[in-house]
Amino acid sequence: MNILQECQGASRIAITGHVRPDGDCVGSCLALWQYLQKKLPQALVQVYLEQPAEIYARVKGYDRIDSRCGDTDPYDVFFVLDSVPERMMESARKLYGQARKTVNIDHHISNQGAGDVFWIVPEASSTAELIYQGIDKEALDQDLAMALYIGIIHDTGVFQYSNTSPKTMEIGADLIRYGFDFPKLILETFYQRTYVQSQVLGRVLLESIRFMEGSCIVSCLDRKIMDFYEVEHADLDGIVNHLRNIEGIHCAIFMYQTDVLEYKVSLRSDEWVDVSRVAAFFGGGGHKRAAGCTMRGTFHDCVNNLSLHIKQQMESGSAARTGSDSESNSRRE
Ligand code: 5GP
Ligand code: MN
């Protein structure tokens, strides 16, 4: 896709991603914002996202993000990045519906394509990789390169997961030419945790339970504990990977309470289970090795329902045990 071509004649452009924005979502949205500002200086370009974590404040455009979305004038082009339109923040939906043209760019295997124009590439490591491909390279500068790099490292676990392709590495190599301090960026946005985030991680590991003969693991944080440590969802990013990294585990589940009898569920797996199928059954989505959904019921109801689907896949051996799919992951994965 040539992104600029999609914006021909547009004077009002909006960009959004999914709720609880992760590194790829924030990086792609702000990279596209920077690019369009640069190429179309006469146009109004607006980013609508829920308030992203403080670690992304270093990305140019962070302070221009509108989390309330009070605008009512229709947009000429409305981009939805790293997400299906159903997962955008509630307050942006009306504007999306009124836009003259909607464009959906994503790499989630669960996204069938939505909007007037869509570009869905499950093989791509990240949406940031797609944005890189869709822009004129002469527009790249240090800020834009850094925004794209953040997107890529967060979805590949710093070039670690199987979604990392030779092309991903080539793009990474091109981006670091722009001279931002990438070791610092990786440390401070991906690996570093606050003391409290580390305490909560410890608690999650301590209270985890293995099941299905030790092949699966689950851990859950309820609202009371989250309030005690004063943590929010952004503090919990990446915790599920610590569960998955445990020897012998083929499928890891991390849940945290979002409401009375409601949990946000993160799923991670190896080649034994296609968790995008499990999440999709419960109205969520994602990638084969990293997916999520929101579930209602008690903790035990949720785990019972999830394990039924996980078990089915393990027993039927229907999960493609190739290990070479398009996996994507968020922070610290
Ligand atoms: P995480 O567990 O890190 O929140 O998400 C893992 C992957 O699944 C990410 O690529 C994320 O975008 C996707 N994902 C998480 N929750 C949902 C959901 O509720 N719906 C959809 N469609 N995708 C999700
Ligand atoms: Mn992504």
Side-chain angles (χ1 to χ4, degrees):
M1 175 186 285
N2 182 324
I3 288 172
L4 209 54
Q5 255 171 33
E6 300 300 336
C7 298
Q8 248 174 16
S11 59
R12 288 174 56 78
I13 302 169
I15 302 165
T16 195
H18 53 77
V19 289
R20 303 184 188 99
D22 58 11
D24 187 30
C25 182
V26 178
S28 324
C29 288
L30 293 182
L32 181 58
W33 176 82
Q34 290 178 34
Y35 175 70
L36 294 176
Q37 289 266 311
K38 208 167 184 176
K39 298 296 265 188
L40 304 170
Q42 311 303 333
L44 171 92
V45 188
Q46 184 59 58
V47 180
Y48 293 117
L49 277 181
E50 282 181 3
Q51 183 62 37
E54 189 69 26
I55 49 166
Y56 303 117
R58 71 197 74 214
V59 185
K60 187 179 170 187
Y62 177 89
D63 52 354
R64 303 287 294 275
I65 291 172
D66 183 346
S67 300
R68 277 176 303 180
C69 194
D71 206 351
T72 49
D73 293 343
Y75 283 90
D76 297 314
V77 184
F78 203 113
F79 284 94
V80 180
L81 307 185
D82 200 40
S83 180
V84 282
E86 293 77 37
R87 250 184 113 205
M88 77 173 77
M89 63 184 201
E90 196 65 41
S91 53
R93 281 175 206 280
K94 194 162 171 215
L95 284 172
Y96 175 82
Q98 292 168 343
R100 297 208 168 82
K101 176 180 181 179
T102 53
V103 181
N104 186 199
I105 303 175
D106 192 11
H107 69 127
H108 287 95
I109 198 166
S110 51
N111 188 343
Q112 306 292 307
D116 301 319
V117 182
F118 53 85
W119 187 30
I120 316 295
V121 186
E123 298 73 34
S125 69
S126 50
T127 302
E129 188 172 314
L130 295 174
I131 299 295
Y132 174 90
Q133 288 173 44
I135 63 173
D136 296 342
K137 303 302 170 287
E138 43 83 19
L140 279 168
D141 56 23
Q142 194 174 94
D143 288 322
L144 186 43
M146 191 180 93
L148 291 170
Y149 193 81
I150 282 200
I152 294 173
I153 59 168
H154 280 254
D155 260 22
T156 59
V158 195
F159 304 102
Q160 179 196 157
Y161 298 112
S162 61
N163 59 352
T164 306
S165 70
K167 200 193 270 172
T168 317
M169 302 300 273
E170 281 160 18
I171 295 171
D174 187 33
L175 295 176
I176 62 170
R177 275 187 243 285
Y178 291 88
F180 54 90
D181 190 345
F182 72 86
K184 189 166 185 270
L185 191 71
I186 292 170
L187 175 69
E188 291 181 357
T189 74
F190 193 80
Y191 289 110
Q192 217 165 54
R193 288 174 180 276
T194 63
Y195 180 58
V196 165
Q197 286 167 351
S198 306
Q199 284 185 308
V200 169
L201 166 64
R203 191 143 180 166
V204 167
L205 296 177
L206 205 63
E207 290 176 2
S208 62
I209 303 161
R210 286 188 299 176
F211 61 102
M212 283 168 63
E213 285 144 25
S215 63
C216 296
I217 193 161
V218 63
S219 196
C220 181
L221 274 181
D222 63 28
R223 200 63 243 177
K224 237 176 26 213
I225 305 285
M226 288 174 70
D227 289 344
F228 176 78
Y229 288 100
E230 294 179 4
V231 289
E232 273 313 317
H233 69 86
D235 298 302
L236 311 176
D237 256 3
I239 284 187
V240 65
N241 304 303
H242 288 266
L243 295 171
R244 179 187 54 185
N245 288 344
I246 295 168
E247 191 183 11
I249 295 298
H250 295 299
C251 189
I253 306 170
F254 171 63
M255 305 165 52
Y256 65 89
Q257 193 176 2
T258 47
D259 212 331
V260 181
L261 296 179
E262 187 188 273
Y263 294 90
K264 179 78 187 88
V265 177
S266 279
L267 299 162
R268 296 295 183 272
S269 64
D270 58 11
E271 67 277 12
W272 282 49
V273 183
D274 176 350
V275 284
S276 73
R277 279 170 46 203
V278 178
F281 184 86
F282 297 104
H287 310 274
K288 281 188 179 176
R289 308 285 172 258
C293 56
T294 297
M295 293 179 76
R296 285 174 204 287
T298 64
F299 164 74
H300 287 101
D301 289 341
C302 296
V303 176
N304 282 341
N305 287 329
L306 286 165
S307 57
L308 214 68
H309 287 259
I310 294 165
K311 199 168 177 202
Q312 249 170 27
Q313 281 198 36
M314 282 191 173
E315 283 175 357
S316 70
S318 64
R321 288 178 191 173
T322 60
S324 60
D325 67 346
S326 160
E327 168 193 49
S328 180
N329 302 274
S330 62
R331 188 173 160 215
R332 300 188 201 100
E333 297 187 10

